[in-house]
Structure formats: C-alpha cells, structure tokens
Amino acid sequence: MKTVAKLVYAAALVALAPLGANAQQQPVGEWNGVLSTPAGALALIVRIRANPDGTYGGDLESPDQAAGQRMPLTTVTASPNKLAFTISAIGASYSGEWKDSLWSGVFQQGMAIPLVLKRSTAAATKSLEGLDGTWRAVLERDTTKLRLILHVRTTARGTGATLDSPDLGALGLAVQQFNRVGDTVTFRVPDGQVEFRSTLNYAKRTLQGQWSRQGLPPVQVAFTRDAAAAAGKPTLTQEPIVARGYRAEEVSFVNPGDASVKLAGTLTIPDGRGPFPAVVLLSGSGPQDRDESIFGHKPFAVLTDHLSRNGIAVLRYDDRGFAKSTGSHARATSADFASDANTAFRFLIDHPDIKQDAIGFVGHSEGGMLGPIAAADNDRVAFVVLLAGPGTDIVQLLLSQRRLIALSQGASNELLDKSEPIIHDILHAVRAAPDSQSAMDGVRAVLPSERLQSLGATEAQRDAIAATFTSPWMRYFIKYDPVPNLTRLRMPVLALNGSKDRQVPPAENLAAIRAALSGNRDVTIKELPGLNHMFQTAETGAVIEYERIPETFAPGALDLITEWIRSRFTR
C-alpha cells in the first residue's frame, strides 16, 4: 500500500556464467527498456548491484518522468536465467527470463505490460546549463486558467524534465526534445501534443515564449523559476537536527517465535521523571528502516521527534531483514510483522522508564493493519492509532487504489474498465485458493489468451503474472479481512486518513472502520483535509508528488496524534 521506496535484498549471488546466448546471466549492471503505457512510451533504467552480503539491490529511474530520481527496488531475486524485482512504493513488479542476450518479461503495475531490458550501452544525454529548478506558469486561454509546473534536473546522465498540470490532475508528463541554444529554450510534451519555444532571462529567472497545442491557437506563457528550488530539490525543514527534550538509545530485541529475527531500533525517552506513555511505530508495506525513509523524507523521525518532545516515548525499528535487523523479509507475511510488533511491545513492558499500562501501536498504511492484528492477540495494548490503515475489503481496496493511481499517471477510464474485471478475477482466484500452487493454477485459469492480450501480455508471460500475485505476502494480504480484528479492539482507537489519499481512499475506508468499531466507546475517526497518503499537504495526492513536497508530515496531523495520546495517558 505504500509507495514509495523500501529496500530489501534477498537473493543468492549468481556466479558468472560461461559465454553463450542463453547461458546463466549475471544481472549486475545497468539495463535499459521502454514501457508502452496508456500515457505513452516511457524509458526505464534499471540498475542492479551486488551487495557485500551476497544479495542484490538496485534502483529504477524513468528519465521521461523524473530524470535523476532513483526509486529503490524493494526486493531483487535472481536465479539462473531469471530476474525479478518489486517496487512497493508504486505497487509495481517485474519478472523476466534471460533469452537472446536480454531480459524478456512483464512489468506489473495494476496491469501487465511487456518489458524487455537490454544491457545499457547508451551515452549520457546532453547537459543544459542554468535550467535546473522548478518553474511555474499559468496558461490562460479564453476564460480558463491552468497552472503549469516544469521540473528540470541535471544528473550524470544529462538534463531531463517533467511537467505537471495540477488543475487537470496530470503529473509527471514526459518532456522530450528539451534543448537550449543560447537563450532559446525549447521542448515538447507528447502527451499533450504541445510544443514550447521560449527565451531565457537568467537574471529574472523567466522562460517566456509561445505555447502551441495541436488544434488550438498558440498562447504566450511565462515560466518563473522558484528561488528556493534553483537546485531542483526541495528543502526538507522538518527533519530533526538535534534531539532536544528527550534522549535516544540504540536497542535490539529477539522475536521469541523466530530466533533468526533480531530487531534493531531506537528508543527515545522524554526528559524528566517517568514512567512515560509509549508508542511502537509500525511502518507500511515493503522493507523499511526505522525512520520509514521514503523519497528523501523520514516520516517516523519527524513523528518521533514531535511525540518525544511532548512527553511520549517512542520505539521505532528496522523491519526484519533490512538495515540492522536480521531475518528474512521476503518470506514473511503481515502476520509475521505483527509478531515483530508484539515483540517490540514486550520489550517496552520491561523498561523501567515506560508506563506499562500506556503502551500502544501507531501504524501507517500496512502498519495500520499490523496494529489491529497484534492488538487482537495482546490484551495489554492500551491504544491503537491507524494512519491510513485499511478497513475496507482488501480486494476492493486494491482495485480502487489501482484505478486512482493509474488515472493520476495518465491512464484512461476506458482502458481501466477493460482491464479491471481481469484484475478482479485474478484477486478472487488467489483469495479462494487454499495454497500457493492452487493460487498459481487459479490465476493461470482466469488468463486465457484473449485476456492476456487485453493486458498487453503474451502466452509466455502468463506464469510471470501469476507469480506476481501469489507471493506469500501477497496471498496473505489478499485473503486478509480487516473487520474481525477491528471489531475485537476495545481500547481507544484513533483512525486518520488524508482527503487526498490515492492509496487508501478515505471516504470508503473510514466508513468501514467506523462500522467495525461501532461497539468501541472511545473511537476518534477523522478525514484530514488536503493531506495525501503520507500525511503531507498535497495538491492532488498523486504518488509522484511525495518527493516534491517540502513538508514531511503536516504539523496539524502531528499535533492531533500527540494530543489524542496525551489526553488519555499523561498525568
């Protein structure tokens, strides 16, 4: 459920293969491909690296959408002649086979799209001086005004740009043929059939020129560069620099149900005389560090700082199998992560500075699902906070999430209407299956040739699609029903959603949580205006905005969470 940018590396290093067209392939290196999406062709760069511990890591970049922005791969697995990776931040995955000196497979993100990856031989694109930053304009045509935001960034590969049109809900549109000759700057936006030719005034930070769209008269548009964004990267002002009002301790604890899982984290304890109420922070889907680091933001570091400055102790930890925590993330399900949450809870129970009857869970996204799972088996949990935690039927949630994200990326309702019944049948086949093999067989059965063609896939890619939907984590997630565990919660519960959350749609989600908690006497449920899935103040809520927003966590949301806990559990 989370977008964006969680890392785990779970694969054995493949030995270098002998020469031969279909010999075992060492996946380390840079690979190029082109994704044919409903919004147009998108170039992709996939970089795979070998880690010192014998596993793989990597990242993905889309030069057409966000040049220079590398999205970490969540999992990377390799076996002879096979490569697979996932990107939890955008709900995407890839599975391919080595054949004829390239990887041939399927990129899955709501719909399956064939993707061939070839080893990179391309030279870097041209670097353009003096243009990096965020440029804003208002296009006026008749009585209509449309905001335009041009993002320009230069990396080692050259200068790239993307365009946002917030009023049309269009973000990350590919900018092509971006060029500067002297003071003349030109570019094209293929998705909008737009050409722009302008003059750069460097002193005034403006690009002024003619905006031409096919079938319409040209208009004059003037872009002005943000002074604070000249480097093309937002300044994150919330991240704590110095811990004041509390002390921090490095801690670790072992899951008694699996001795291979040793969780490493940080416990922050407020200054003054305890014991103090405490929270265990539970992160969203995909392996994440204790700060829930994502796209340059550290939401859990910001939340921890705010809570601990206000008299609440906080325990946050690296997910199993990631950063300093041991164990396997790739083989784990949400039930395993809930077990880790209760392990963290038991660690706090024994701490002399912690108030034993005032320890609760604060979970974000999938973490908002783990909290109720853990609390349902732990009658000592004092409270639960759900930050965009799921309350609706999971299959319906996945379908709604898929549609909202795809629309924000340029897909049409017509295309989604055609593919959605197929995804619906895949999800229900997995839900009905008693085991992994039955799930694989069920997915294959609902993907005859004509349906594969509708998804843009081939017969040879059927198994790769099935594998995407039948991993241990995905099978548990699809089968999970939030209602029974929510119904069992008798402790105070706070449930929050942002009104612009495109990953957990707020209206239907909060209504389901409210119904499930109708028997609980202390429930607070709120939809927070203008906030996205990450609880940032957003323009549209689209995933691509997360990195571009300077704010990490809306101050109003921080205050609400803190005061809700303090009002119940502080003297």
Side-chain angles (χ1 to χ4, degrees):
M1 287 186 298
K2 224 161 164 211
T3 74
V4 33
K6 314 310 169 223
L7 305 170
V8 71
Y9 310 118
L13 189 63
V14 178
L16 287 172
L19 295 177
N22 291 315
Q24 294 182 359
Q25 169 60 24
Q26 163 62 272
V28 172
E30 184 173 290
W31 305 86
N32 291 340
V34 177
L35 204 60
S36 297
T37 76
L42 293 177
L44 296 182
I45 302 170
V46 178
R47 302 175 184 87
I48 307 292
R49 65 175 180 273
N51 296 316
D53 62 357
T55 61
Y56 289 124
D59 58 67
L60 179 144
E61 178 184 349
S62 176
D64 293 331
Q65 283 191 313
Q69 296 182 15
R70 299 190 179 193
M71 186 177 301
L73 306 181
T74 306
T75 62
V76 183
T77 58
S79 59
N81 303 325
K82 292 183 182 295
L83 172 67
F85 57 80
T86 62
I87 311 169
S88 296
I90 57 173
S93 64
Y94 176 76
S95 179
E97 296 186 354
W98 182 250
K99 186 176 181 181
D100 298 329
S101 300
L102 49 81
W103 298 106
S104 179
V106 172
F107 187 90
Q108 180 80 35
Q109 189 185 21
M111 64 181 296
I113 305 175
L115 176 62
V116 172
L117 295 174
K118 302 178 181 179
R119 189 172 290 281
S120 176
T121 57
T125 57
K126 186 178 181 180
S127 294
L128 307 178
E129 294 184 1
L131 296 176
D132 278 20
T134 300
W135 302 74
R136 302 177 189 272
V138 176
L139 186 154
E140 298 187 41
R141 193 187 298 276
D142 299 327
T143 60
T144 301
K145 293 184 178 182
L146 296 177
R147 290 171 295 162
L148 302 174
I149 306 173
L150 179 68
H151 303 275
V152 183
R153 187 172 182 180
T154 299
T155 68
R157 297 188 60 84
T159 300
T162 60
L163 183 77
D164 299 344
S165 180
D167 298 311
L168 295 178
L171 303 176
L173 297 176
V175 172
Q176 297 182 359
Q177 298 178 22
F178 191 58
N179 196 23
R180 175 185 177 182
V181 178
D183 291 334
T184 300
V185 177
T186 57
F187 62 77
R188 294 182 63 251
V189 186
D191 291 341
Q193 297 180 307
V194 166
E195 294 185 359
F196 183 61
R197 184 177 184 86
S198 66
T199 300
L200 170 66
N201 186 320
Y202 193 80
K204 294 183 178 181
R205 303 194 308 274
T206 61
L207 283 172
Q208 186 163 358
Q210 182 170 279
W211 184 272
S212 302
R213 181 171 183 179
Q214 187 172 331
L216 295 173
V219 294
Q220 291 294 309
V221 170
F223 284 91
T224 301
R225 178 161 53 181
D226 292 354
K233 187 175 182 179
T235 300
L236 307 183
T237 58
Q238 287 180 286
E239 195 171 312
I241 299 174
V242 179
R244 293 177 180 170
Y246 58 91
R247 68 183 189 275
E249 301 176 358
E250 290 293 304
V251 299
S252 63
F253 38 93
V254 176
N255 187 323
D258 186 346
S260 71
V261 179
K262 183 178 182 180
L263 301 167
T266 302
L267 173 62
T268 55
I269 302 173
D271 292 342
R273 184 178 178 181
F276 301 98
V279 304
V280 178
L281 297 185
L282 307 177
S283 63
S285 58
Q288 302 186 45
D289 66 21
R290 66 194 71 184
D291 294 329
E292 205 185 34
S293 299
I294 179 170
F295 281 164
H297 292 280
K298 296 183 178 182
F300 277 7
V302 173
L303 179 57
T304 294
D305 181 73
H306 195 276
L307 290 170
S308 294
R309 287 176 188 261
N310 287 279
I312 302 168
V314 179
L315 175 58
R316 67 195 198 273
Y317 56 91
D318 302 326
D319 288 352
R320 66 161 67 189
F322 183 64
K324 295 183 179 180
S325 292
T326 63
S328 171
H329 194 285
R331 294 193 297 268
T333 68
S334 298
D336 299 314
F337 301 135
S339 173
D340 293 343
N342 272 328
T343 299
F345 183 95
R346 285 188 291 270
F347 174 83
L348 289 179
I349 282 284
D350 296 328
H351 199 288
D353 290 321
I354 302 303
K355 191 176 181 182
Q356 294 186 358
D357 61 353
I359 304 172
F361 294 124
V362 176
H364 176 228
S365 197
E366 187 195 358
M369 171 175 148
L370 304 183
I373 296 174
D377 292 330
N378 184 348
D379 58 10
R380 300 188 71 176
V381 175
F383 60 92
V384 175
V385 178
L386 311 177
L387 304 178
T392 55
D393 175 79
I394 295 299
V395 168
Q396 184 55 50
L397 172 63
L398 290 172
L399 292 172
S400 299
Q401 180 187 94
R402 170 183 178 268
R403 177 173 286 269
L404 287 171
I405 292 177
L407 288 172
S408 74
Q409 295 173 337
S412 66
N413 278 300
E414 181 182 6
L415 180 65
L416 292 169
D417 288 342
K418 291 180 180 179
S419 61
E420 189 167 287
I422 304 174
I423 305 300
H424 173 277
D425 290 350
I426 290 173
L427 295 173
H428 278 280
V430 173
R431 172 176 281 182
D435 53 52
S436 178
Q437 186 58 53
S438 299
M440 286 284 289
D441 294 341
V443 174
R444 292 189 188 104
V446 300
L447 288 177
S449 300
E450 62 272 16
R451 282 190 144 192
L452 285 169
Q453 291 174 6
S454 296
L455 293 177
T458 66
E459 294 277 351
Q461 294 164 336
R462 182 183 287 110
D463 284 352
I465 297 173
T468 299
F469 286 95
T470 56
S471 68
W473 181 88
M474 183 61 82
R475 286 186 59 238
Y476 184 96
F477 185 64
I478 291 172
K479 287 174 174 286
Y480 182 73
D481 181 0
V483 172
N485 283 328
L486 288 171
T487 303
R488 292 171 63 186
L489 301 182
R490 290 294 179 261
M491 69 289 291
V493 177
L494 172 64
L496 304 177
N497 256 117
S499 67
K500 294 185 177 181
D501 190 334
R502 295 195 181 200
Q503 294 184 248
V504 181
E508 58 192 78
N509 191 62
L510 292 181
I513 292 175
R514 182 176 288 106
L517 294 173
S518 60
N520 189 320
R521 295 183 179 181
D522 189 353
V523 175
T524 304
I525 297 176
K526 290 191 175 183
E527 180 177 317
L528 303 182
L531 303 191
N532 62 16
H533 184 68
M534 300 303 299
F535 291 85
Q536 301 167 297
T537 304
E539 289 192 39
T540 70
V543 173
I544 198 171
E545 284 184 334
Y546 296 172
E547 183 182 37
R548 295 175 181 171
I549 299 173
E551 178 180 82
T552 295
F553 211 118
L558 293 171
D559 290 339
L560 174 58
I561 297 164
T562 301
E563 290 310 310
W564 184 88
I565 297 172
R566 281 173 52 86
S567 67
R568 288 161 175 78
F569 299 102
T570 59
R571 292 188 295 270

